[in-house]
Amino acid sequence: MNFKHTCIATAALLVAHAGYAQTNNDVAAEMKQLRDELRQLRLEMQALKTQQNSKLEQATPSAPASAPVPAVASVAPPVAPAQEAAPNAVSLFGYGELNMTRPRHNASETVATARRGVLGFGYRFNDRTRFAAELEVENAVVSSGDKGEVAFEQLYVEHDIHEHLSAKMGLFLLPIGYMNETHEPTRYMGVQRNLVETAIIPTTWREMGLGLRGTSDTGLRWDAGVVTSFDLNKWPTDSAETKESPLGAIHQEGQLAKAASLAYYGVLNYDGIPGFNVGGSLYQGGIAQKQATMASPHASVTLAELHTKWQVGSWDLAALAAQGRFHDVSAFNASANGINNPVPDQFRGWYAQAAYRLWRQGDYSLVPFARYERVNTALNFSGLPVGLAPSVDPDTRLWTVGANFYLHPQVVLKLDAQKYLNNSALDRLNLGLGFHY
């Protein structure tokens, strides 16, 4: 006899028992007892139904979560290898940005593009081990005749060694500067990524290797790792590309990356004061890759940067400075490979930015900002005969003034104007839409 039939039989017995009452008071008391017991039976039936539904849901594959896999998850006791993944182990995340740029002095060169679309997905094997990947499509269309690109931004496995230490292995973004790891359009000011963290620190700079991250209760956070480096053999003869970003011109992005010369990085941040961050990083890597044809077999590069951010009240203030140096590139510059476009000894840049949340109502908010940047991607050259070294260009000095209008913390409309103080032909107006999920 199932639970439902038991309830009906019990109710019938209670009704029959009520018929033997001798007085109206007895009948009333019996009827009240009957109602109370029937109410209790209904509650028990509802509890049983809820329990059965819960078991059914656990046996059914869960829907993907909407948030990305966090960099460092909370630590729980190890899960036995035979234990299945917890519900909601799969997560989907990503971001997109679309923009339009109108040169101030040449409207005919106005361009609109679906600049980036990133599809991210992750899987949590247990509370300690997880996988994450980001697949990026640039400029909407990818083919041999188009300017689009498709690439993995990240592809790695991360494991929590203990509560304050985690490790990742695979293809991942280096934790250098502010924007390289956190570059969703809702998280930075302006339509375009800032010039310093694009030209000096390559944007979405990723390498293959092993990285460690540690935290402390005092607010210190450190990163260290060994990864693939750059390849000087990729240095182009076209100076336009190297002046745009010296390191960006020779990065390998995990595509059959030469790994004879590796690189090492170390990062230290302090987050112990709410709303305040200060930190810095150092990167050192060989770039000759032990190639027999390389004129500079011991060539290397060093990149150092310092950064700080202070969020107080409605203000958001930030500053960052970075400097890179190429070492032992004289022979390369003197060779046929380098003479047309020599490798600079030094490249550097810095910016300061102030943003203010002027208005907020519900999810809506308006945040105007101003940013000043100063960048030079080619300072001094070594190994060249007197008179053959190219002239050193002056620093690029740039003002960007605009506003982010948030429809939701994860959806933003952007408008800004950029003024190049040493080349007004580059002045432009930018309009953009960005989101992350």
Side-chain angles (χ1 to χ4, degrees):
M1 181 180 294
N2 60 30
F3 187 78
K4 181 177 180 181
H5 293 160
T6 301
C7 294
I8 295 172
T10 303
L13 289 173
L14 290 170
V15 171
H17 179 67
Y20 290 102
Q22 299 298 317
T23 65
N24 290 338
N25 289 338
D26 291 335
V27 171
E30 293 286 352
M31 292 300 294
K32 181 179 184 301
Q33 181 180 356
L34 175 63
R35 287 194 298 269
D36 291 341
E37 292 182 2
L38 286 174
R39 186 181 300 111
Q40 181 64 31
L41 287 172
R42 285 196 298 268
L43 291 174
E44 291 176 359
M45 290 180 66
Q46 183 63 36
L48 179 60
K49 182 179 179 181
T50 301
Q51 183 180 5
Q52 291 173 339
N53 288 341
S54 177
K55 290 180 179 180
L56 181 61
E57 289 175 356
Q58 291 181 6
T60 304
S62 55
S66 59
V69 177
V72 179
S74 59
V75 176
V79 177
Q83 182 171 338
E84 296 182 0
N88 299 323
V90 177
S91 60
L92 299 176
F93 51 94
Y95 67 90
E97 55 180 306
L98 305 91
N99 55 52
M100 183 180 72
T101 297
R102 182 189 187 280
R104 179 182 175 187
H105 302 292
N106 190 355
S108 65
E109 293 187 359
T110 300
V111 173
T113 186
R115 186 69 184 92
R116 293 180 180 89
V118 176
L119 306 175
F121 45 96
Y123 184 82
R124 184 179 298 277
F125 299 99
N126 56 37
D127 287 340
R128 286 180 179 266
T129 307
R130 53 204 169 272
F131 155 82
E134 289 184 350
L135 186 65
E136 178 187 42
V137 179
E138 292 190 353
N139 295 320
V141 179
V142 180
S143 73
S144 59
D146 295 301
K147 293 184 178 181
E149 180 183 71
V150 60
F152 273 111
E153 275 193 0
Q154 302 197 77
L155 186 67
Y156 66 88
V157 170
E158 188 171 32
H159 178 74
D160 294 331
I161 299 172
H162 61 68
E163 183 179 2
H164 294 292
L165 180 64
S166 65
K168 63 171 61 174
M169 179 177 288
L171 179 69
F172 56 87
L173 298 165
L174 297 192
I176 294 177
Y178 280 126
M179 188 169 293
N180 201 51
E181 277 195 311
T182 309
H183 48 258
E184 295 83 359
T186 53
R187 303 183 191 276
Y188 62 85
M189 306 307 301
V191 177
Q192 308 288 349
R193 297 171 179 178
N194 72 72
L195 189 58
V196 179
E197 294 183 274
T198 302
I200 307 303
I201 303 173
T203 185
T204 56
W205 174 15
R206 63 262 195 194
E207 300 286 357
M208 293 184 64
L210 171 67
L212 298 174
R213 170 164 293 179
T215 61
S216 73
D217 295 333
T218 61
L220 286 176
R221 170 169 46 94
W222 62 266
D223 294 85
V226 54
V227 294
T228 53
S229 187
F230 299 95
D231 181 10
L232 186 56
N233 290 281
K234 297 178 65 175
W235 189 264
T237 57
D238 181 10
S239 63
E241 185 177 353
T242 58
K243 283 187 176 181
E244 182 178 336
S245 174
L247 294 180
I250 58 173
H251 63 172
Q252 302 197 77
E253 302 179 297
Q255 184 186 71
L256 302 174
K258 292 183 174 64
S261 301
L262 297 177
Y264 308 88
Y265 68 88
V267 186
L268 183 63
N269 280 278
Y270 175 71
D271 303 307
I273 301 173
F276 178 74
N277 166 262
V278 63
S281 61
L282 180 64
Y283 171 94
Q284 170 71 37
I287 58 176
Q289 299 300 336
K290 297 181 169 45
Q291 301 297 301
T293 57
M294 174 57 62
S296 297
H298 303 294
S300 63
V301 64
T302 301
L303 180 68
E305 63 88 20
L306 296 172
H307 54 261
T308 185
K309 181 175 288 189
W310 187 29
Q311 296 172 310
V312 53
S314 296
W315 286 99
D316 188 328
L317 309 174
L320 183 146
Q323 178 170 294
R325 287 184 178 273
F326 287 107
H327 309 281
D328 297 320
V329 294
S330 298
F332 179 87
N333 285 343
S335 70
N337 291 336
I339 193 67
N340 294 325
N341 181 32
V343 179
D345 292 336
Q346 184 182 164
F347 50 101
R348 67 189 181 198
W350 65 271
Y351 74 80
Q353 176 181 280
Y356 183 80
R357 192 175 299 278
L358 185 64
W359 172 78
R360 168 183 272 172
Q361 182 176 341
D363 286 336
Y364 295 105
S365 62
L366 178 64
V367 186
F369 76 97
R371 180 173 63 242
Y372 177 75
E373 303 178 68
R374 191 162 185 152
V375 169
N376 198 315
T377 57
L379 284 166
N380 306 322
F381 301 89
S382 60
L384 297 174
V386 177
L388 291 183
S391 59
V392 176
D393 293 335
D395 291 354
T396 296
R397 294 173 292 129
L398 170 63
W399 273 104
T400 304
V401 178
N404 284 12
F405 180 71
Y406 290 87
L407 304 178
H408 181 274
Q410 294 171 250
V411 182
V412 63
L413 301 175
K414 301 184 178 187
L415 175 67
D416 65 51
Q418 293 185 297
K419 174 67 177 177
Y420 286 79
L421 300 182
N422 55 328
N423 187 356
S424 62
L426 298 176
D427 293 353
R428 55 193 174 185
L429 183 69
N430 303 304
L431 178 66
L433 164 67
F435 58 89
H436 82 269
Y437 58 92

